[in-house]
């Protein structure tokens, strides 16, 4: 089956192209794709025909749309694949578990179906980095390098009990069903607050159109529920990560983090990848929105564009 054939599956999500259907630049370079793996229809955006795949994994509460400002500049020599994480965005269906090894399995199988069984370059932010860690440790021959942004890899020197104190939202998102009961129907109110509270000065880090797209996606049935389950799985992720760290990673790993967090986050990654490097950014948490040119330059340097 060709990549073109894989991306023509009928979507289960209405409105998946709300942010791109009137964008001729997007239409000329990228297309939406849907591929069902077990009981989950994965949504992703793909463009380019280069021999090397670059995989983009967003965080919570974001979608593939996070990467749109920098995706065109990643096309030379690459096939660019921006995935909606399992259960989030416009990916639709049921999941047997929310531990990141299980979720990474869907992304791994999607890449295989798209024809990229080796040499994949990974860029990840926030929760996408939890899945990326599982990918590069469980399927080591599939990946050639990893750039991760603003995420604490637990399991070694860093424990989840320490991470929970960094921000209110770790504990809040664990509260089920209370989290959904409080936020359902108030998605815009909550997301607007969430984006601002993790941005220096409390400004909105993305355009109003960006907020509209995220509100649309996180108002879909089940998406907030799935997002909260991502947080509830952290204790299992810590166990799984600790086991994976027994075999050090040898692929190049680079960490971008907010300046106050870089030392902690880099040390945590080095428990798995002793040669990992890092750099501090003068931003808040939403790095691609706040400083796309800086992020793009870091990606190009990491992967030798």
């Amino acid at each position: 089956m060709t990549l073109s054939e894989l991306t023509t599956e009928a979507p289960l999500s209405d409105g998946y192209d709300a942010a791109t259907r009137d964008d001729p630049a997007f239409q000329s370079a990228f297309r939406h794709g849907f591929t069902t793996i077990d009981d989950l229809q994965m949504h992703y955006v793909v463009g380019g025909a280069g021999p090397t795949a670059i995989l983009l994994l967003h965080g919570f509460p974001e979608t593939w749309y996070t990467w749109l400002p920098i995706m065109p500049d990643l096309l030379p020599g690459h096939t660019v694949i921006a995935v909606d994480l399992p259960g989030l965005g416009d990916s639709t269906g049921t999941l047997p578990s929310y531990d990141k090894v299980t979720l990474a399995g869907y992304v791994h199988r999607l890449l295989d179906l798209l024809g990229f069984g080796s040499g994949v370059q990974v860029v990840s932010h926030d929760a996408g980095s939890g899945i990326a860690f599982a990918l590069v440790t469980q399927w080591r021959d599939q990946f050639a390098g990893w750039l991760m942004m603003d995420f604490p890899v637990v399991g070694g020197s860093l424990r989840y009990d320490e991470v929970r104190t960094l921000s209110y939202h770790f504990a809040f998102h664990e509260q089920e069903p209370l989290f959904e009961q409080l936020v359902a129907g108030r998605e815009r109110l909550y997301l607007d607050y969430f984006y601002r509270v993790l941005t220096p000065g409390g400004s909105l880090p993305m355009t109003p159109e960006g907020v509209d797209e995220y509100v649309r996606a996180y108002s879909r049935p089940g998406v907030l529920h799935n997002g909260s389950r991502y947080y509830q799985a952290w204790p299992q992720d810590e166990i799984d990560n600790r086991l994976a760290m027994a075999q050090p990673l040898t692929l190049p790993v680079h960490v971008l983090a907010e300046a106050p967090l870089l030392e902690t986050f880099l040390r945590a990654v080095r428990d798995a990848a002793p040669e990992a490097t890092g750099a501090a950014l003068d931003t808040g948490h939403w790095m691609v929105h706040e400083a796309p040119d800086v992020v793009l330059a870091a990606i190009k340097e990491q992967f030798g564009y």
Side-chain angles (χ1 to χ4, degrees):
M1 184 175 293
T2 67
L3 189 150
S4 178
E5 289 171 326
L6 279 165
T7 59
T8 57
E9 186 175 312
L12 297 176
S13 172
D14 294 332
Y16 68 90
D17 61 346
T20 60
R21 65 172 66 111
D22 297 322
D23 184 346
F26 173 90
Q27 301 291 344
S28 68
F30 299 98
R31 63 185 180 277
H32 293 271
F34 296 87
T35 298
T36 297
I37 298 172
D38 294 335
D39 295 323
L40 180 74
Q41 186 183 71
M42 294 284 292
H43 171 240
Y44 49 98
V45 170
V46 61
T52 300
I54 185 162
L55 173 67
L56 307 176
L57 300 175
H58 65 84
F60 176 90
E62 299 171 295
T63 70
W64 78 270
Y65 181 84
T66 297
W67 306 104
L68 183 57
I70 66 172
M71 286 170 62
D73 291 303
L74 296 176
L75 287 171
H78 287 73
T79 298
V80 178
I81 307 167
V83 174
D84 270 347
L85 299 185
L88 304 185
D90 288 287
S91 291
T92 305
T94 58
L95 294 163
S97 175
Y98 294 85
D99 68 84
K100 305 314 173 291
V101 173
T102 296
L103 300 182
Y106 289 91
V107 181
H108 157 69
R109 291 168 63 186
L110 175 65
L111 289 171
D112 275 351
L113 289 169
L114 294 176
F116 296 104
S118 64
V120 178
Q121 300 166 343
V122 187
V123 181
S124 62
H125 177 237
D126 186 76
S129 296
I131 291 176
F133 181 82
L135 284 169
V136 301
T137 56
Q138 300 298 317
W139 296 279
R140 297 176 182 235
D141 293 340
Q142 192 166 28
F143 300 95
W146 178 26
L147 184 146
M148 63 164 284
M149 288 182 277
D150 226 33
F151 182 77
V153 175
V154 299
S157 60
L158 187 62
R159 303 188 315 276
Y160 182 54
D161 284 346
E162 299 172 86
V163 171
R164 289 177 89 249
T165 66
L166 292 176
S167 172
Y168 81 94
H169 72 274
F170 289 99
F172 180 46
H173 293 165
E174 292 174 354
Q175 307 307 311
E176 282 298 328
L178 182 64
F179 167 69
E180 287 183 67
Q181 291 172 338
L182 292 177
V183 177
R186 305 177 181 89
E187 289 86 0
R188 183 176 299 276
L189 175 68
Y190 182 64
L191 293 181
D192 184 275
Y193 173 80
F194 193 24
Y195 299 138
R196 291 177 187 272
V197 78
L198 297 181
T199 304
S203 60
L204 192 63
M206 69 280 294
T207 64
E209 292 77 14
V211 177
D212 289 344
E213 174 61 10
Y214 293 142
V215 169
R216 180 200 64 79
Y218 280 88
S219 298
R220 296 185 62 236
V223 177
L224 277 176
H225 171 85
N226 293 335
S228 69
R229 292 298 194 269
Y230 271 57
Y231 286 86
Q232 293 172 35
W234 276 75
Q236 182 60 48
D237 296 337
E238 183 170 352
I239 294 169
D240 293 339
N241 291 353
R242 185 175 300 115
L243 292 173
M245 289 174 181
Q247 181 182 354
L249 286 168
T250 57
L251 84 172
V253 178
H254 188 64
V255 178
L256 301 180
E258 301 168 68
L261 299 173
L262 176 62
E263 182 178 348
T264 299
F265 287 3
L266 181 56
R267 184 175 66 250
V269 172
R270 283 177 173 164
D271 293 328
E275 303 302 316
T277 58
L281 267 60
D282 186 22
T283 67
H285 180 62
W286 317 104
M287 296 174 170
V288 183
H289 287 294
E290 297 175 64
D293 291 343
V294 176
V295 171
L296 179 63
I299 293 171
K300 289 187 171 183
E301 181 176 357
Q302 174 73 357
F303 298 120
Y305 271 79

